[in-house]
Amino acid sequence: MRIEHRLGTRLAGGLTAGLAALLLAGCGGSDEAPAAAATSSAASSAPSSSAAPSSESRTGSEVAAAAADALEQAGSAHASGTVGTGAEAQSLDLQLQGEDVSGSITIGDQTVQVLSVGGVSYLQAGADFWTSSGAPAEAVAMLDGRWVVVPAEQAADFAEVTLAGLAEELRNPSDGAYQDEVRTEQLDGQDVLVVTQEGGNEVYVAAGDPQYPLRTTTTGADAESVTIDGFGETVEIVAPTDALDLSDLGA
C-alpha cells in the first residue's frame, strides 16, 4: 500500500499502512485495504476567496517552519478531517500529544480506534472491519472489539503519526517544496498566511502569534481537508490493560 505524504495523508496513510501490514504479518490475511465509501467532510468553514495582497516578507518555507515551531511548543493538538474522495475516502479524528496519539480513522463505514502510548501502538475494530480487511474467519471472533498490539516491525508505519511527525512534514514537505510567495486570507474570521507547495497543496497558518498551522488542503482526486486545533489541550491517554498481543499467540 502506498503511503501518501501530504500533511493530512501523512496521518491517515501511516495508519492505514500500519493496519495492512498488521493483517499481513499478524493474521495471515490480505494486504488489500477494506472497500470504502465516501465519508462526510470536516465540519469547518471554507476560507475566504477574497484574499488581500500579502505584506509578508518571509518565504513560504520560513512561515511553515515557524508553524512547526509553534506546534512543537504547544505540545499537543487535535487533527480532524477527510482524506481522498469516493471509494478512497477516509476521515480521521486524532489527538496528537507529545509522542502519544489517540483517536480514530474511518474507512467507508468502518471505524478503527487507534492508540499509541509509551512507544507501543494499538488498534481496535469490529468484526466487520477485520472480515473486510481479509482476516481469516477463525481470527475474526478473537479480534472483534479487542485492542490489538501492533507488532514492533509494523509499528514503524505509525511512527510518523505524531506531533513531531507533523512538525517535520511542515518543515520538510515530502510532496513538493514550498513556493516563496505567501498570501494572506481569512479563515473563520481569523487572519491567516497561506503557503503553497509546488503541486498546489496549501497550509494555512495563523498570522498572529502563536503561528499555529490551522488547516491543510488539496484538490483533485486525492482532495483533502484537515483542520488542526486544540493546541496545548491535553487528554488522558492510557494504554489498554487487556490488549491482545499477536506475538504471544505465535501469529
Side-chain angles (χ1 to χ4, degrees):
M1 178 183 293
R2 183 168 63 96
I3 302 177
E4 297 287 353
H5 291 290
R6 290 187 302 275
L7 204 55
T9 49
R10 188 181 186 94
L11 297 171
L15 291 170
T16 52
L19 296 179
L22 172 65
L23 289 169
L24 182 63
C27 300
S30 168
D31 65 350
E32 292 296 322
T39 56
S40 59
S41 60
S44 55
S45 302
S48 169
S49 60
S50 56
S54 175
S55 59
E56 177 62 47
S57 60
R58 293 173 298 172
T59 66
S61 294
E62 291 170 335
V63 170
D69 290 344
L71 181 65
E72 288 180 328
Q73 290 167 12
S76 62
H78 172 252
S80 61
T82 57
V83 177
T85 58
E88 299 299 322
Q90 303 168 18
S91 64
L92 59 91
D93 190 320
L94 300 171
Q95 175 72 13
L96 309 176
Q97 197 164 293
E99 293 299 311
D100 296 342
V101 179
S102 176
S104 63
I105 179 169
T106 299
I107 309 168
D109 60 356
Q110 307 289 346
T111 297
V112 181
Q113 303 297 322
V114 295
L115 183 67
S116 184
V117 57
V120 181
S121 298
Y122 310 83
L123 60 89
Q124 180 189 62
D128 288 347
F129 172 82
W130 293 112
T131 298
S132 63
S133 298
E138 62 272 18
V140 170
M142 177 180 64
L143 296 169
D144 182 18
R146 290 286 303 275
W147 281 106
V148 177
V149 177
V150 179
E153 60 270 26
Q154 278 77 50
D157 290 315
F158 289 73
E160 64 185 16
V161 191
T162 63
L163 197 77
L166 199 56
E168 174 60 21
E169 182 66 16
L170 279 166
R171 291 192 181 95
N172 300 294
S174 48
D175 198 38
Y178 293 115
Q179 298 177 1
D180 286 341
E181 182 182 359
V182 178
R183 72 178 192 272
T184 60
E185 287 191 7
Q186 280 207 329
L187 178 66
D188 299 330
Q190 179 177 354
D191 291 335
V192 294
L193 304 175
V194 183
V195 297
T196 306
Q197 291 175 260
E198 291 173 350
N201 308 333
E202 295 182 328
V203 181
Y204 292 73
V205 178
D209 290 328
Q211 290 197 302
Y212 292 134
L214 302 177
R215 182 180 295 175
T216 70
T217 64
T218 67
T219 58
D222 294 324
E224 70 176 48
S225 177
V226 174
T227 296
I228 307 170
D229 55 19
F231 301 99
E233 298 176 8
T234 60
V235 300
E236 186 177 21
I237 301 179
V238 180
T241 58
D242 59 347
L244 180 64
D245 191 336
L246 298 178
S247 63
D248 290 342
L249 304 177

